[in-house]
Amino acid sequence: MAERTAFIGARVVDPASGRDEVANVLVEGGAVAAVGPDASLRGASLVDCHGLVLAPGLVDLHAHLREPGREDAETVETASRAAAAGGFTAVAAMANTDPVADTPAVVEEVRSLASRAALCDVFPVGAITKGLAGEEMAAIGEMAAIGVRLFSDDGRCVPTARVLRNALQYAKAFDAVIAEHCEDPSLAEGGQMHEGIHSYTLGLTGKPAESEEIVVFRDLALARLTGGRLHLQHLSAGGSVELLRRARAAGVRVTAEVTPHHLVFVDEDLVTYDTNFKVNPPLRTPEDREALRAALADGTIDAVATDHAPHAVEDKEAEFDQAPPGTIGLETALAAVLTHLVEPGLIPLPRAIEALSTAPARILGASGHGGPIEPGRPANLVVFDPRAEWVVEPPFVSRSRNSAFLGKSLRGKVIHTVLRGEPVVGDGKPRR
Ligand SMILES: [Zn+2]
Ligand SMILES: [Zn+2]
């Protein structure tokens, strides 16, 4: 990229500053140099953005990068490239790798792989318990000391109230956030999908919504008790949203995320036994989906997070009850939200950008991300065409292709992703 680059004529949507207007953005030396309808373009190479939206780069609170351990499904580099292709400039990498990220050594390994790829900022998440075993506390203090902000045993729920209480209490000293995969294992065990009319008809073992709600209730109570910071991952049930709403009103320090697939699909979509709809937590009822959408719109749920979960083809193409749960999501998250929430008028575009960028950046403590787009700030930006229609199909930039959106038509295409002034995606294509 030229020393000075000007993105001209885009609708600049920047929730952190409240800006929503057609403007020019001048980038110089990795930072934003000027922004506004009359920003000077002198000496800059021009990137025409008329008809496009320019926003702070997206931030994902929840992705499985699979490295170390399952490099056949994804690596830090391929996930970073998929993230950039999807408009993300920052991604939180879950700790359930092999080995588990429960010590500073694994955190540093993921960081160094990410900085070698240099396509996206990767924020490794630390495990809450050693080996995700739910018993002994992981090296939370040591990981916090090297800048880890988010801790999660994701893939598993912290099994006892005592362990979670201790974690919330301990993490408080570092202003760290304890993120929970809310699922009571004793109720969810063996479950293939949401327990309801469709699990009975399909003859599949169900997981009741209560398996999530019970843990949400427990965790909110413990957050209140300890004053610790709790983050609820991938909420799926309307009952969870009600508990969250009440806790927030009572001043409990809690934030929450929802995935694009839970905002779009429901349990009935499993009638074809398509394993790409097998996710954890499971897709639930249309009423649950409505509750999630409403909670995202009114801010009860802070953020959209992908739960990007790549799986090798031979694993995912197994019999339904053998296939691992999960869908990839980095390349489709923005378009899914634009198509299914913004287009139909369920949420305004600035709220969508807030949920995909500004709010998750704040929760993650990713201070160079999420805006504001102002002079002196790092130029972490996305430019997208909100109208462009495309069909989700291979090849994916991700190493895996287990997408719940496979074959679906979506609107909204990333044109440029800019990481500290570097064009990591240009004209819709990853640059390297
Ligand atoms: Zn999870
Ligand atoms: Zn996950």
Side-chain angles (χ1 to χ4, degrees), residues 220-397:
L220 289 170
L222 294 171
R224 189 184 56 213
L225 176 66
T226 57
R229 293 175 50 119
L230 173 69
H231 178 73
L232 303 174
Q233 298 178 293
H234 48 47
L235 288 185
S236 67
S240 304
V241 169
E242 278 319 303
L243 294 166
L244 169 63
R245 207 184 298 277
R246 254 188 284 154
R248 292 191 85 127
V252 174
R253 298 172 81 199
V254 58
T255 51
E257 67 186 38
V258 61
T259 72
H261 47 278
H262 288 101
L263 290 167
V264 173
F265 301 113
V266 291
D267 57 351
E268 194 179 355
D269 289 307
L270 284 148
V271 290
T272 57
Y273 294 94
D274 180 349
T275 56
N276 287 326
F277 289 123
K278 181 177 176 180
V279 291
N280 193 20
L283 303 170
R284 301 200 188 270
T285 67
E287 292 72 33
D288 291 306
R289 180 179 59 183
E290 289 323 302
L292 296 171
R293 290 174 167 184
L296 182 67
D298 73 16
T300 300
I301 292 178
D302 305 80
V304 171
T306 66
D307 199 3
H308 178 80
H311 289 293
V313 173
E314 61 276 18
D315 291 342
K316 199 64 175 174
E317 283 180 356
E319 288 299 310
F320 195 90
D321 61 335
Q322 297 299 317
T327 169
I328 57 171
L330 289 167
E331 294 166 69
T332 49
L334 174 63
V337 169
L338 292 175
T339 307
H340 292 277
L341 292 150
V342 177
E343 275 252 316
L346 298 175
I347 63 173
L349 181 60
R351 171 63 194 134
I353 299 300
E354 183 180 53
L356 280 159
S357 176
T358 314
R362 190 189 61 233
I363 294 165
L364 190 56
S367 58
H369 296 269
I373 302 172
E374 277 170 0
R377 297 271 309 168
N380 295 317
L381 306 168
V382 61
V383 177
F384 60 90
D385 181 346
R387 311 289 311 164
E389 201 163 347
W390 56 292
V391 177
V392 180
E393 56 194 0
F396 289 96
V397 179

Side-chain angles (χ1 to χ4, degrees), residues 29-52:
V32 174
V35 54
D38 307 312
S40 162
L41 311 174
R42 209 142 40 91
S45 67
L46 306 184
V47 181
D48 182 11
C49 296
H50 288 88
L52 307 180

